[in-house]
Amino acid sequence: AQSVTQLGSHVSVSEGALVLLRCNYSSSVPPYLFWYVQYPNQGLQLLLKYTSAATLVKGINGFEAEFKKSETSFHLTKPSAHMSDAAEYFCAVMFTGGGNKLTFGTGTQLKVEL
Amino acid sequence: GAGVSQSPRYKVAKRGQDVALRCDPISGHVSLFWYQQALGQGPEFLTYFQNEAQLDKSGLPSDRFFAERPEGSVSTLKIQRTQQEDSAVYLCASSLRGRLGETQYFGPGTRLLVL
C-alpha cells in the first residue's frame, strides 16, 4: 500500500543547529513530494516540493530537501535553526495513479531552544 | 491577492446538530479539496472538486458528510447529525488546474468541536 512516514513526532534542536526532519514514502513509482509547515491556529504553508526536476529542492526560509529514489526518502533540512522555525512540519505525497489528493505524514513538531 | 478563506473559524455543536462549513478558494482556481485533521494527526483527504464536479469522495467517512460546489467556486461541507468523533479541524485547499504535482493552497481551517 502507498504510505508516507515521518520518523520522530517531536524534534528539538538548539538555535543555530542543523535541522533534519525525516520523511519516507512507500510506492513503486516515484511520487510528487511536498513539505508543508503549520503554525498554531493557521493553515498549511508550502515550504517546497519535488516534481521530478532537480533532486535537491530549495524552498522558503532557508529549507531544502533532497529526493533519494533508492532510499524512498525526502528529508527536510536547514543548516541553522532559528526560533521562528518552531512549528509543525508535514511531509505530503501525491501518488501517481492516486488522483491528485495529498497523503500526509503524521507530522513532526519542531522545537527550537536557546 | 486573497488566499483561501474558510468560515466559521470555530464551531461548537451539540451532538446531533447539523453543521455547514464554507470554503472560498483562490479566485480562478479550478480544483478544491477538503481535508480533515484530527488532533495530533496529519490532514486526511475527504473529497475533491474540479469546477462543480465532485470527482472523488472516497475519503468521506460516512453518509452524514456531504460536500457541494454548485457554481464551481465556493464550496460547503455539511455534516449531518454530528458525532463527537467528528471533532477536528476541517481544511480546505485549492489549486489552479488540479493537475498532478500542482501545489495546493490551504485555508486556515474550521475547528469543529462536537459536545
Side-chain angles (χ1 to χ4, degrees), chain A residues 61-79:
Chain A
N61 301 337
F63 285 93
E64 62 182 37
E66 185 174 8
F67 171 66
K68 292 187 176 179
K69 182 179 177 180
S70 61
E71 298 178 7
T72 61
S73 68
F74 190 57
H75 302 330
L76 181 71
T77 60
K78 181 174 181 177

Side-chain angles (χ1 to χ4, degrees), chain A residues 3-25:
Chain A
S3 64
V4 54
T5 303
Q6 288 184 244
L7 281 176
S9 59
H10 291 83
V11 170
S12 183
V13 300
S14 300
E15 190 174 35
L18 172 71
V19 175
L20 171 60
L21 304 181
R22 299 177 186 274
C23 175
N24 288 85
Y25 66 90

Side-chain angles (χ1 to χ4, degrees), chain B residues 41-63:
Chain B
Q41 300 296 315
E44 292 192 354
F45 171 79
L46 292 177
T47 187
Y48 156 60
F49 290 86
Q50 188 89 339
N51 295 303
E52 69 278 3
Q54 189 175 20
L55 298 186
D56 187 347
K57 53 181 181 179
S58 62
L60 296 176
S62 78
D63 58 7

Side-chain angles (χ1 to χ4, degrees), chain A residues 32 34 36 38 41-44 46 49 51 88 90 94-107, chain B residues 9-10 31 33 35 37 40-43 45 48 56 58 91 98-108 111:
Chain A
Y32 298 97
F34 304 77
Y36 282 88
Q38 188 175 38
N41 298 317
Q42 295 187 27
L44 298 163
L46 181 72
K49 68 177 184 180
T51 56
E88 185 142 31
F90 291 96
M94 196 178 285
F95 292 106
T96 305
N100 48 12
K101 62 189 176 193
L102 290 169
T103 300
F104 286 85
T106 50
Chain B
R9 291 293 312 276
Y10 303 91
S31 294
F33 303 80
Y35 294 86
Q37 185 176 18
Q41 300 296 315
F45 171 79
Y48 156 60
D56 187 347
S58 62
L91 295 167
R99 293 178 181 170
L100 205 58
E102 199 171 65
T103 297
Q104 293 181 19
Y105 297 89
F106 284 80
R111 185 176 298 272

Side-chain angles (χ1 to χ4, degrees), chain A residues 39-57:
Chain A
Y39 297 99
N41 298 317
Q42 295 187 27
L44 298 163
Q45 180 183 5
L46 181 72
L47 279 176
L48 48 80
K49 68 177 184 180
Y50 168 75
T51 56
S52 75
T55 56
L56 181 62
V57 182

